[in-house]
Amino acid sequence: MSNPAAHSQHPGNADERLRVILVGRTGLDRELRRAAGIELMRARTAFDALGELSDGRLDAMVENGAMRHAPDGPIFVLVGQTDDADLEPGGDDGPDFVEALKLIDPAVRTARVVGDDDTDDCGVFDASLRASDGVEAVRAFAKKCEPKPAPARDATRPSARENAAAAASVPPTSADLGDAPLAALLARGQDIVPMAVALMQHRIGNPHLRFVRSATAADKSPDAVPVLGFGDVTIGMLIAPGSSAADAQQQAAWLSSWMRLSDQQRQLREAAFTDPLTGARNRRYFDRFLPAAIDRARDARHDLTLLVFDIDDFKTFNDQHGHAAGDEILRETVRMLDSVVRPNDRVCRIGGDEFAVVFFEPDGPREAGSTHPASVFEIADRFQLQVQSCSFPKLGRDAPGTLAISGGLATFPWDGRTAEDLLRHADQLSYQSKRQGKNVITLGPGARDRRDRPR
């Protein structure tokens, strides 16, 4: 648990938070995870780190716009010992790795984490840090990377804003634009089509060019050219009235390539946040969503409740009836949860048979007069009854007579003001439920006090 003094020095507000990606084994995980004002992401390999950096630039995309944009400022990538020898000092992949990071985010700062007996050679990285110096070394590195104050401006010279306005008045060339804007949008998981259309309009000098996602509306247009996705399936039509057929065909082929890449990235991103067995969100998603949801709940002064639970005696049942039967129970558990939660709630599988549900209403209760805790308790009770009465017909004679769950409900901010505190409290309440004889959902003190109290 972080100490109060650390909070006073580093308040950890969204705009002041240090965002750190640890690559490999750094020895800093535990200390940074507990430090106030640090948002921690972990990556086992260099490839994973590139994905974390892309996602970290816009945490909002996780919720399709429900979350606000991630704050500006650099992300710090700290590289420790990895299984990739080429990432070690002098390795062949070090320069390529740093270059790839800079392509995704030019503001990123990198450091090599070394042991007390290692040399301080940082190589292609911005600095080297000693693991034994802990969190203060990371803070010092971040402080050193802060931008210096801009010098006083000469009033006789145009400002940056004035220069930008002047530059905007000059028609850009194709070389000025390139494909860089699309690559940036793709890295952030955003829709590339509006920017792609603007680029094509500029390149062929046709402001009337447009893309129609449904082919049916443009089938009869002589100017329509199909845009193809994977398997040469038509995913839309490019319409460029007044342009040559050659120009239209060239731009359609270019757009097809980018849309295939965008679709592939979307599938990879979805896979990265989804548990393949149950279809629930996975631990990676949970670790990103919960802090962001708490930030928004804090700003809007809304409640947020976390339910953590597991299936009672699941391991014993799994050992007796086999993993196929256990997998079916896990899938059915998620199906039942999905049937009772609300649209903005998030069901996550965070361990083997351990689940977390984030009950979150970003715009407040939709029903007048209802209170957040009360509605959550009703959902949890309804789910618990469903589990007890489920017969699991697909399992046949392997189906258990009765299943039960034990869990804990903790509500922000009364039972925890950070994601770590709220999860820890919900975990403790879940263990308490087990000690009470299982088949229990235990409420945190703050949640219990507010259950029947209007906001």
Side-chain angles (χ1 to χ4, degrees):
M1 181 180 297
S2 56
N3 61 61
H7 279 281
S8 63
Q9 295 172 0
H10 305 284
N13 293 333
D15 293 337
E16 301 172 4
R17 184 178 299 154
L18 293 182
R19 294 146 74 220
V20 178
I21 299 175
L22 296 183
V23 186
R25 299 175 294 279
T26 63
L28 295 171
D29 296 58
R30 181 182 297 272
E31 188 171 357
L32 290 181
R33 179 161 47 87
R34 295 179 175 180
I38 292 182
E39 177 185 342
L40 189 61
M41 296 166 274
R42 299 175 182 82
R44 186 173 58 85
T45 66
F47 180 80
D48 291 339
L50 296 174
E52 292 286 358
L53 181 62
S54 296
D55 295 336
R57 293 313 304 164
L58 193 66
D59 287 338
M61 71 88 192
V62 173
E63 284 311 301
N64 298 320
M67 297 293 115
R68 67 170 180 267
H69 287 261
D72 293 333
I75 293 179
F76 300 92
V77 178
L78 311 182
V79 180
Q81 293 181 340
T82 70
D83 296 329
D84 187 351
D86 288 336
L87 274 186
E88 298 303 312
D92 293 337
D93 286 348
D96 291 341
F97 174 56
V98 173
E99 182 179 359
L101 292 172
K102 298 285 186 182
L103 283 173
I104 294 173
D105 182 3
V108 69
R109 296 294 181 265
T110 62
R112 164 83 58 192
V113 180
V114 299
D116 290 337
D117 297 331
D118 297 327
T119 64
D120 285 333
D121 179 22
C122 61
V124 295
F125 297 89
D126 295 319
S128 64
L129 308 177
R130 293 202 175 277
S132 58
D133 291 336
V135 67
E136 291 311 315
V138 177
R139 293 197 192 280
F141 174 49
K143 184 70 175 176
K144 184 178 179 181
C145 294
E146 286 183 357
K148 297 179 180 178
R153 186 174 72 86
D154 183 351
T156 63
R157 302 178 62 185
S159 67
R161 184 184 296 273
E162 292 165 342
N163 281 334
S169 66
V170 179
T173 66
S174 296
D176 291 330
L177 294 173
D179 289 348
L182 290 186
L185 290 172
L186 202 63
R188 289 166 169 81
Q190 294 177 289
D191 185 8
I192 66 168
V193 170
M195 176 61 72
V197 169
L199 289 172
M200 291 186 292
Q201 288 175 341
H202 172 72
R203 286 170 179 168
I204 65 175
N206 185 348
H208 303 293
L209 177 146
R210 68 186 190 277
F211 171 71
V212 181
R213 289 189 182 274
S214 172
T216 56
D219 280 341
K220 298 179 181 179
S221 171
D223 303 309
V225 180
V227 176
L228 305 179
F230 289 108
D232 290 335
V233 175
T234 299
I235 56 177
M237 305 294 287
L238 187 68
I239 305 172
S243 294
S244 69
D247 280 347
Q249 290 283 356
Q250 183 182 34
Q251 297 307 313
W254 174 84
L255 181 59
S256 293
S257 297
W258 274 102
M259 292 196 71
R260 287 172 177 170
L261 183 58
S262 178
D263 185 55
Q264 184 182 55
Q265 286 289 94
R266 179 190 57 77
Q267 294 180 34
L268 289 172
R269 195 178 295 273
E270 184 67 20
F273 290 121
T274 303
D275 172 48
L277 174 65
T278 65
R281 299 295 186 177
N282 60 16
R283 182 61 186 253
R284 177 195 292 259
Y285 179 94
F286 174 78
D287 287 342
R288 290 177 175 278
F289 177 71
L290 182 59
I294 287 177
D295 282 346
R296 185 165 182 185
R298 180 184 295 111
D299 292 346
R301 301 182 65 82
H302 287 158
D303 296 335
L304 176 150
T305 295
L306 175 65
L307 167 65
V308 172
F309 72 91
D310 60 19
I311 300 171
D312 293 337
D313 302 317
F314 179 77
K315 184 179 185 302
T316 300
F317 176 82
N318 212 29
D319 292 342
Q320 290 177 351
H321 300 284
H323 291 287
D327 289 350
E328 177 61 23
I329 286 177
L330 294 176
R331 284 191 289 264
E332 188 67 12
T333 297
V334 170
R335 187 196 66 77
M336 287 186 289
L337 259 177
D338 284 338
S339 72
V340 297
V341 299
R342 303 160 305 186
N344 285 313
D345 299 332
R346 293 295 179 266
V347 177
C348 306
R349 183 187 178 195
I350 59 176
D353 67 317
E354 187 177 12
F355 294 87
V357 185
V358 183
F359 294 96
F360 178 51
E361 295 176 287
D363 300 317
R366 291 185 295 175
E367 296 181 8
S370 68
T371 62
H372 167 88
S375 61
V376 169
F377 302 144
E378 292 172 2
I379 292 172
D381 287 343
R382 190 158 63 247
F383 168 63
Q384 193 173 21
L385 290 173
Q386 281 194 5
V387 171
Q388 293 173 19
S389 61
C390 185
S391 60
F392 300 96
K394 291 184 180 179
L395 299 183
R397 58 187 176 184
D398 284 339
T402 301
L403 279 182
I405 63 170
S406 295
L409 275 168
T411 294
F412 167 86
W414 294 271
D415 296 320
R417 294 183 174 273
T418 68
E420 294 82 2
D421 289 345
L422 203 63
L423 177 58
R424 181 164 50 249
H425 199 160
D427 268 333
Q428 292 170 351
L429 295 170
S430 181
Y431 294 141
Q432 184 177 333
S433 296
K434 294 287 188 184
R435 291 194 297 269
Q436 290 176 1
K438 304 179 181 179
N439 195 24
V440 175
I441 294 180
T442 303
L443 313 182
R448 192 166 54 243
D449 291 344
R450 284 187 53 82
R451 175 171 49 183
D452 302 316
R453 184 189 310 166
R455 189 168 180 77

